Amino acid sequence: MSTHSYLVTGGAGYIGSVVAARLLAAGHAVTVLDDLSTGHRAAVPDGARFIEGRVQDAGEWLDSSYEAVLHFAAHSQVGQSVADPEPYWRNNVGGTADLLAAMRDAGIRTLVFSSTAATYGEPATVPITEDAPTAPTNPYGATKLAVDHMISGECAAHGLAAVSLRYFNVAGAHGPHGERHDPETHLIPLVLQVALGERAAVSVYGDDYPTPDGTCVRDYIHVADLAEAHLLALTAARDGEHLICNLGNGNGFSVHEVIETARKVTGHPIPHITAPRRPGDPATLVASAARARETLGWHPTRPDLADIVADAWEFARRTATP
Ligand SMILES: O=c1ccn([C@@H]2O[C@H](COP(=O)(O)OP(=O)(O)O[C@H]3O[C@H](CO)[C@H](O)[C@H](O)[C@H]3O)[C@@H](O)[C@H]2O)c(=O)[nH]1
């Protein structure tokens, strides 16, 4: 097996740390770049070299010893991006422009980028394919879409080989790596905090959506399956091409179905209260992952929601504050 050296930006975060761990397990050398603004130093996998710093400054030390860059570092909270958009443009878009320039100067020709279902906005039809219209409903999605456009230009003009992976709802845990946002806004970790007794009830944001039970439907994907797609993307990337692939399981679950699954997995009652809709939430987001399967040869191994919740539950119990 040929081994390479990879730069993982945001490798102290939830998804970046899992991908870094998988690259190390495959025998590669990994450097994690993270400014620890939202990441955790302890999440950087053993065996990775760690640089505490910003992507904006990567040009100061980046060199041709890296085979590729996997770029996770970003601001990623939808609500925060609505309340205070400017840092999202400065960091997500400006930071990636600096990173692309640094890669060009260093002669690094391959990029895998964390894009998102939020680039599509409210979909006209589901499941969502990659040629669906892109009309983000919040600044977070707009900045990620802007970066996707920027990457396409870099591929066309300078021959970069790039893959953007558009994540749907990532959940679950992989070994010691799980979801720890502060504040936590994501449904599955919040539901599990209720199961742990750390929170009295979970709020269900709206029960009058045009869905079977009135609550929002999402496509949940296990973080380990998501990570695997990044390793496949590294070999699928072609000079001068920008491949965009959705990553989801193609199955939609409502908020009530997620809570019910968590009740079964944890054995706890998990009370909920119905709350107003959260601004910017589309009713239904479900991926067509046909392209990822066909182009990357991606085969998810833990597509069942109960398995995803069970792994998140194990992580939540292990890391619970006593
Ligand atoms: O306390 C909560 C939290 C969430 N929800 C609902 O649960 C669903 C899932 O919400 P999450 O916040 O877990 O996930 P999102 O679908 O909002 O977010 C996902 O998609 C976003 C883009 O749309 C971003 O990419 C984000 O990082 C990613 O997790 C949504 O319908 C939301 O309204 C609740 O009912 N109660």
Side-chain angles (χ1 to χ4, degrees):
M1 182 184 69
S2 63
T3 58
H4 295 295
S5 181
Y6 293 112
L7 175 65
V8 178
T9 78
Y14 171 43
I15 300 168
S17 65
V18 176
V19 173
R22 299 286 282 233
L23 287 167
L24 287 163
H28 300 295
V30 172
T31 298
V32 164
L33 170 66
D34 201 301
D35 66 4
L36 300 182
S37 57
T38 53
H40 309 270
R41 176 66 184 85
V44 177
D46 290 343
R49 173 180 174 225
F50 178 62
I51 297 176
E52 184 174 345
R54 302 169 348 127
V55 290
Q56 286 87 340
D57 304 323
E60 291 169 13
W61 49 267
L62 205 59
D63 62 33
S64 61
S65 64
Y66 294 96
E67 175 74 11
V69 175
L70 299 102
H71 181 33
F72 300 89
H75 292 324
S76 65
Q77 288 184 31
V78 171
Q80 189 186 54
S81 81
V82 175
D84 189 16
E86 188 263 336
Y88 279 71
W89 291 98
R90 191 176 292 279
N91 186 50
N92 295 4
V93 180
T96 307
D98 291 336
L99 181 66
L100 288 175
M103 288 176 64
R104 205 185 313 128
D105 290 346
I108 303 169
R109 302 184 53 81
T110 304
L111 173 73
V112 178
F113 174 62
S114 297
S115 189
T116 168
T119 54
Y120 297 113
E122 185 78 52
T125 54
V126 287
I128 302 169
T129 57
E130 291 81 357
D131 50 17
T134 43
T137 54
N138 54 63
Y140 166 68
T143 62
K144 288 283 184 172
L145 181 61
V147 172
D148 276 342
H149 287 310
M150 189 160 59
I151 292 170
S152 293
E154 189 73 15
C155 294
H158 301 296
L160 182 74
V163 181
S164 287
L165 299 174
R166 289 190 171 159
Y167 311 158
F168 281 64
N169 286 63
V170 189
H174 178 67
H177 304 287
E179 211 169 345
R180 278 189 293 156
H181 298 110
D182 188 20
E184 189 54 75
T185 62
H186 293 104
L187 179 63
I188 290 177
L190 286 171
V191 165
L192 297 178
Q193 286 177 8
V194 178
L196 282 167
E198 293 177 354
R199 214 175 261 274
V202 60
S203 297
V204 174
Y205 295 144
D207 66 355
D208 57 352
Y209 283 96
T211 59
D213 68 16
T215 66
C216 288
V217 170
R218 295 289 182 272
D219 184 342
Y220 295 88
I221 170 172
H222 197 291
V223 68
D225 285 335
L226 185 90
E228 191 58 32
H230 293 73
L231 275 70
L232 296 166
L234 286 168
T235 50
R238 296 285 172 268
D239 288 355
E241 291 179 17
H242 184 199
L243 173 65
I244 296 177
C245 288
N246 291 341
L247 286 180
N249 284 306
N251 301 318
F253 294 94
S254 72
V255 175
H256 280 316
E257 286 174 320
V258 170
I259 297 171
E260 192 50 41
T261 303
R263 287 186 182 122
K264 288 190 185 127
V265 166
T266 66
H268 290 275
I270 312 186
H272 75 272
I273 49 175
T274 303
R277 290 184 178 195
R278 191 170 64 176
D281 270 349
T284 302
L285 290 175
V286 176
S288 163
R291 183 182 287 176
R293 289 172 183 274
E294 286 157 19
T295 313
L296 303 181
W298 179 67
H299 299 289
T301 59
R302 287 180 83 67
D304 288 351
L305 183 62
D307 289 339
I308 295 172
V309 172
D311 287 353
W313 176 231
E314 199 198 315
F315 176 79
R317 273 191 303 180
R318 202 169 347 114
T319 53
T321 36

